[in-house]
Amino acid sequence: MTAPHTPPANDDPATATAPAALPTVRMMPKANARAIRFGAPWVYANEMVVDRRTKNLAPGTLARLEDAERQPLGLVAMNPNSKIIGRMLDADPETVIDQAWFEEKISRALALRSQLFDAPYYRLIHAEADGLPGVIIDRFGDTCVVQPNAAWADARMEMLSAALVAVTGVANVLKNAGGRTRTLEGLDDVSGVTAGAVPDGPLPVPMNGATYMADLTGGQKTGLFYDQRPNHAFAANMTRGLRVLDVFSHVGGFSLAALAAGAESAMAVDGSAPALDLATQGAAAMSMQDKFSVRHGDAFDTLAALRSEGAEFDVVICDPPSFAPSKKALEAGLRAYERIARLAAPLVAENGILGLCSCSHAADLTAFRTASVRGIGRAGRRGILLHTGFAGADHPQLPQLAESGYLKSLFFRL
C-alpha cells in the first residue's frame, strides 16, 4: 500500500484532492446505505440529498459520502448532471486521489493480468471491478487505449496516464473519447494522445493462435474486443475441417480463430467495410487468405440472402452489437435477438453448431436464452444447449453490479 502523504493545495473543485477541501454529501433516509458499505459502487440521484450546493458541484468533484445518520460511507466522485450522481472511489473518506493512488490500482490489475496471460494483450482495467469506476483500459503491447467514461476520471486523465506509464512501462497512451457513456456524463468526444504517439497503422494482436489487426484510433471501441476471447476459443475448438459463418464479425473475431484451429473455410459478415478489410489483413497475416471470404452488408439482409442462395455452414456464430443498451430498449432488443436466431438457424447444417451472443446488460441470461430458443424454434429447428460462455477473466465482474456481467454466449447443436 502507498504511504499517506500531504498533497499540494488545489483550488480547482473538480480535481481537488486534499481531504480538508472536500464537501460532504448525504444519502436519503430510505436509501440503501448498507449496499454501499457492502461494495455497491453507484449512488443514484434519487438516493442522495440533492440541495442547491450539491447541484452546483462541478462534475468530477470528490466528496465525502455519509448515510442519513451522518456516518461516513467513503469517498465519492460526484456528477450532479448524471443519474449516477456518485461513484464510490474508496471506503476511506480521507483517501487522497493522486498518482500514487492510481498506481496502486493499476498495479493490482496488472498483477492479475500477468497471472492470466503470457503476452501484454488484454483488458487491463475493467472499470468498477478494478477499482476505477467508469474507466476502461485495453492494452496492445506497448500501447494502451484509455476510455475515461466518467467525469472524475476525465478530469484526472493526465494523472491516470502518468500512473499507467509508470506501472506498465508502455510507450503510448491514447485517450478514446467515443461512446454513449461519456455523453450521459456530459463529456466531450475529443480523443487524443496523452503519452508517446499514435501507432503508424493497425497493430497485429495475437489471440487464440490467430492474428487480429486492431485500429486503435479509427476502429470500434478501443480497436478490438478482448471480452470474447474464451468464447472464440470454445467455438474454434469445434471447427476443424468445417465451414464457418461469422456474422457481425468486426475484425474477424470468431472466423480467424476458427481458421487458426483448422477450419476448412470461414466467411465474415459485417456492415463495416473497414472492419472487414482489417479481418482480411488478419487472414493474410496468418497465410489463410485462400480460406477466408467476406460479405459486406446488413447482417439481417445478408442472412436472408444466404438462405435464398441455398448456403449451408457447419458452424454459424452471430455476435451483434448491443440490441438492448437500456431497459427502455429491452423489448425491441429481445425481438432483434429472436430474429437473428430465426434467420441464422436455417443456415446451420444438420448436427451443426449455432452460436448466439449478446453484450446487452439490460437483457439478462434468462431473457436472452428465451429469445434465442424462440427464434430457433420459429425457424423450424430444434437444438440442445452445449455451452454458455461469458467474458474472459480480464473482464472481471463486480458481484454488486449486475451491469458488469453483460456478455452472454450460447452455443447450440441443431
Side-chain angles (χ1 to χ4, degrees), residues 141-191:
D142 284 338
T143 300
C144 280
V145 180
V146 182
Q147 289 184 309
N149 293 328
W152 79 273
D154 193 68
R156 296 165 178 81
M157 185 61 202
E158 273 191 43
M159 190 185 297
L160 170 56
S161 177
L164 187 57
V165 171
V167 172
T168 65
V170 295
N172 312 304
V173 178
L174 312 183
K175 175 184 175 181
N176 181 313
R180 172 176 173 270
T181 306
R182 284 182 62 88
T183 301
L184 296 175
E185 283 279 302
L187 301 173
D188 63 37
D189 59 356
V190 180
S191 299

Side-chain angles (χ1 to χ4, degrees), residues 340-399:
I340 282 289
R342 177 172 57 81
L343 291 172
L347 300 176
V348 181
E350 186 75 12
N351 297 320
I353 303 298
L354 174 62
L356 300 170
C357 308
S358 167
C359 60
S360 299
H361 69 78
D364 65 20
L365 177 59
T366 299
F368 173 58
R369 186 171 55 220
T370 299
S372 298
V373 172
R374 185 182 296 120
I376 292 170
R378 289 186 173 174
R381 303 296 298 272
R382 293 293 181 271
I384 55 173
L385 181 59
L386 296 179
H387 178 71
T388 301
F390 302 96
D394 55 341
H395 291 63
Q397 296 184 33
L398 187 66

Side-chain angles (χ1 to χ4, degrees), residues 44-107:
Y44 292 97
N46 62 1
E47 297 178 310
M48 187 179 287
V49 177
V50 182
D51 54 19
R52 182 180 299 177
R53 179 185 58 87
T54 303
K55 288 180 180 179
N56 288 332
L57 292 176
T61 296
L62 304 186
R64 293 186 180 90
L65 179 66
E66 296 179 347
D67 63 17
E69 284 72 43
R70 300 179 184 271
Q71 295 301 306
L73 291 172
L75 185 69
V76 66
M78 296 291 294
N79 188 345
N81 302 324
S82 172
K83 283 187 177 181
I84 304 173
I85 194 171
R87 295 176 186 265
M88 291 298 296
L89 298 184
D90 204 288
D92 179 3
E94 305 304 316
T95 294
V96 176
I97 305 302
D98 57 6
Q99 183 173 327
W101 182 85
F102 278 108
E103 287 181 10
E104 192 276 331
K105 299 291 185 183
I106 296 169
S107 295

Side-chain angles (χ1 to χ4, degrees), residues 296-312:
H296 175 225
D298 175 81
F300 294 95
D301 293 342
T302 302
L303 287 171
L306 287 169
R307 184 179 184 185
S308 68
E309 295 165 15
E312 184 179 80

Side-chain angles (χ1 to χ4, degrees), residues 225-243:
F225 299 116
Y226 283 128
D227 53 0
Q228 285 281 23
R229 186 189 323 237
N231 300 313
H232 291 163
F234 176 83
N237 191 49
M238 299 185 291
T239 62
R240 181 174 295 278
L242 302 181
R243 302 159 297 170

